[in-house]
C-alpha cells in the first residue's frame, strides 16, 4: 500500500499542545474515526482536507518525495461498481478498507487520487470511438481533486453519483457529458433504449429527493483477455 504522504505530518502536529484528533475532525467536518483511520494508515487525506488541516495546525505540510514524483506507479483505489439504474443501499458506518492496486501515475494530474470502477451492464456499449463494455475497469480521477484545475466540458466521460432517500441509496453510473447554457445532460451511449439521460437544469430544484453530482472523470478503460485463469 502507498502510504499517505501527509500521515507523519498529521501525527507530529497532533502531538502538539491543544491539538487532537477530535479537534482536527471538527475542523474538517469529519467524524473522529476518519482521523483515526488517517493516523493508522487506513485512509488518506483528500486535497481539500489538507487545506483544512493546514488551517487547523497553522503549518504547511512538507513537500514529500511522493508529491514530487511525476512518473512511475501509484495506487488506485477500487471504489466499486458502476451500473445504470441500480440503486444500492449505502452503509454509512462501513469502515472497511478498499482494495488498492498499483497503476501508472497520471502524467497530467500526478497528485490526484485515481479511482477504479468496474462496469456492469450495457449503458455505454455504443460510446464512440471506443465502447465501454460489461467487465471493463474504468481508471478515473477523483473529481474533488481536480475540479479547481480542470473545467467540465462536453464530451467528457464521467462517473455520476445519484442519491435518494436522504443519501441512504446510491447509484453510480458512467455517462457522457453534454453542456448547454441552461442545463447539463449526462447521456448513456447505448443500443438499449431503456437507458435515459439525466438532465440537470440550472434553475431547477429537484423535488423528488434525488441529488446528482460528478464524482470522477474517466481517463482510461482496462480489460483482461480471457484464457489465463
Amino acid at each position: 500500500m502507498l502510504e499517505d504522504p501527509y500521515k507523519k505530518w498529521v501525527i507530529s502536529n497532533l502531538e502538539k499542545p491543544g491539538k487532537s484528533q477530535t479537534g482536527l475532525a471538527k475542523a474538517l467536518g469529519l467524524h473522529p474515526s476518519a482521523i483515526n483511520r488517517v493516523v493508522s494508515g487506513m485512509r488518506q487525506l483528500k486535497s481539500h482536507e489538507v487545506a483544512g488541516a493546514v488551517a487547523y495546525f497553522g503549518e504547511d505540510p512538507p513537500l514529500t518525495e511522493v508529491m514530487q514524483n511525476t512518473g512511475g506507479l501509484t495506487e488506485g483505489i477500487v471504489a466499486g461498481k458502476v451500473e445504470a439504474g441500480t440503486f444500492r443501499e449505502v452503509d454509512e458506518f462501513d469502515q472497511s478498507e478498499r482494495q488498492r492496486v498499483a497503476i501508472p501515475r497520471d502524467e497530467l494530474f500526478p497528485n490526484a487520487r485515481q479511482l477504479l470502477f468496474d462496469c456492469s451492464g450495457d449503458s455505454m456499449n455504443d460510446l464512440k470511438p471506443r465502447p465501454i463494455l460489461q467487465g471493463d475497469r474504468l481508471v478515473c480521477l477523483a473529481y474533488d481533486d481536480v475540479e479547481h484545475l480542470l473545467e467540465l466540458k462536453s464530451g467528457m466521460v464521467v462517473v455520476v453519483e445519484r442519491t435518494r432517500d436522504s443519501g441512504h441509496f446510491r447509484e453510480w453510473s458512467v455517462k457522457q457529458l453534454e453542456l448547454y447554457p441552461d442545463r447539463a445532460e449526462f447521456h448513456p451511449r447505448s443500443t438499449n433504449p431503456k437507458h435515459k439521460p439525466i438532465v440537470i437544469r440550472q434553475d431547477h430544484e429537484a423535488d423528488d429527493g434525488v441529488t446528482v453530482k460528478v464524482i470522477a472523470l474517466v481517463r482510461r478503460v482496462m480489460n483482461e483477455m480471457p484464457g489465463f485463469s
Side-chain angles (χ1 to χ4, degrees):
M1 179 187 300
L2 191 67
E3 185 172 283
D4 184 350
Y6 304 111
K7 176 182 173 182
K8 293 181 180 178
W9 173 70
V10 169
I11 292 174
S12 64
N13 275 277
L14 287 174
E15 293 173 349
K16 295 179 179 179
K19 303 301 179 183
S20 66
Q21 291 189 25
T22 301
L24 177 59
K26 184 177 180 180
L28 301 184
L30 299 173
H31 190 278
S33 64
I35 304 303
N36 183 263
R37 295 181 69 208
V38 171
V39 171
S40 63
M42 296 179 65
R43 182 188 189 279
Q44 294 189 6
L45 284 179
K46 300 176 182 178
S47 59
H48 67 279
E49 294 170 351
V50 173
V54 168
Y56 178 71
F57 292 139
E59 176 185 308
D60 289 333
L63 184 62
T64 68
E65 180 179 350
V66 172
M67 294 170 64
Q68 295 178 54
N69 182 17
T70 58
L73 296 177
T74 186
E75 70 170 9
I77 302 170
V78 181
K81 183 178 292 186
V82 287
E83 185 174 7
T86 301
F87 280 85
R88 294 181 171 88
E89 188 171 6
V90 178
D91 183 359
E92 60 181 310
F93 300 106
D94 181 14
Q95 296 185 8
S96 60
E97 185 175 2
R98 295 189 184 278
Q99 179 187 1
R100 297 165 188 264
V101 297
I103 57 175
R105 185 179 298 275
D106 192 295
E107 294 183 358
L108 293 181
F109 304 95
N111 296 323
R113 287 170 297 149
Q114 294 196 65
L115 306 178
L116 307 180
F117 294 88
D118 294 321
C119 183
S120 180
D122 56 3
S123 67
M124 295 294 280
N125 69 352
D126 201 32
L127 178 67
K128 300 295 191 299
R130 195 273 191 200
I132 297 175
L133 305 175
Q134 175 154 320
D136 282 348
R137 173 161 282 186
L138 311 179
V139 181
C140 308
L141 298 174
Y143 184 58
D144 283 349
D145 291 358
V146 297
E147 62 178 326
H148 62 295
L149 301 171
L150 187 63
E151 183 179 359
L152 290 175
K153 298 178 181 179
S154 292
M156 284 183 169
V157 178
V158 300
V159 175
V160 177
E161 178 183 83
R162 291 202 296 174
T163 57
R164 72 183 192 199
D165 300 333
S166 300
H168 292 296
F169 288 87
R170 175 179 64 203
E171 176 210 53
W172 284 340
S173 64
V174 59
K175 299 284 191 293
Q176 188 169 40
L177 178 62
E178 292 185 11
L179 291 176
Y180 299 92
D182 63 337
R183 68 192 187 279
E185 298 183 0
F186 300 93
H187 283 264
R189 302 301 186 193
S190 178
T191 58
N192 188 339
K194 79 172 186 179
H195 298 295
K196 306 298 182 184
I198 302 170
V199 179
I200 306 297
R201 298 189 180 277
Q202 291 184 2
D203 59 352
H204 175 68
E205 293 185 4
D207 57 3
D208 56 1
V210 175
T211 61
V212 179
K213 66 177 180 179
V214 173
I215 61 170
L217 309 179
V218 180
R219 289 281 283 158
R220 301 195 307 278
V221 179
M222 302 189 304
N223 207 332
E224 294 184 0
M225 298 302 294
F228 291 85
S229 60

